[in-house]
């Protein structure tokens, strides 16, 4: 079980990232992808912390799109 938190500001990159994860993560693996919209309005740490607050799993992965 994994919460993937993405600091995002370009929708087409987020869509590509999400599709790539979906096609490669494997069967029967529970995960969620949390898009934290951040077009330069906050620092990366704040964006990740806001995304972490929304996570439903305890294992967190922080990535850029």
């Amino acid at each position: 079980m994994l919460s993937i938190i993405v600091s995002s500001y370009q929708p087409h990159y987020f869509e590509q990232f999400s599709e790539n994860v979906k096609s490669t993560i494997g069967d029967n693996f529970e995960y969620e992808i949390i898009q934290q919209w951040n077009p330069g309005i906050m620092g990366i740490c704040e964006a990740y912390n806001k995304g972490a607050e929304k996570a439903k799993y305890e294992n967190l992965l922080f990535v850029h799109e």
Side-chain angles (χ1 to χ4, degrees):
M1 297 182 292
L2 179 66
S3 294
I4 303 169
I5 300 158
V6 183
S7 178
S8 176
Y9 72 99
Q10 295 186 4
H12 64 283
Y13 287 147
F14 178 76
E15 287 298 321
Q16 288 175 345
F17 174 80
S18 297
E19 286 300 318
N20 188 34
V21 170
K22 182 179 178 181
S23 67
T24 61
I25 202 161
D27 297 331
N28 302 319
F29 187 85
E30 290 187 45
Y31 73 98
E32 65 177 341
I33 298 177
I34 300 168
Q35 180 184 30
Q36 182 59 50
W37 186 248
N38 185 19
I41 57 176
M42 65 188 94
I44 191 71
C45 293
E46 183 179 354
Y48 285 159
N49 285 332
K50 287 180 181 251
E53 290 173 1
K54 300 173 188 174
K56 65 180 177 182
Y57 301 122
E58 64 181 53
N59 296 306
L60 308 177
L61 173 64
F62 300 97
V63 297
H64 298 276
E65 60 190 13

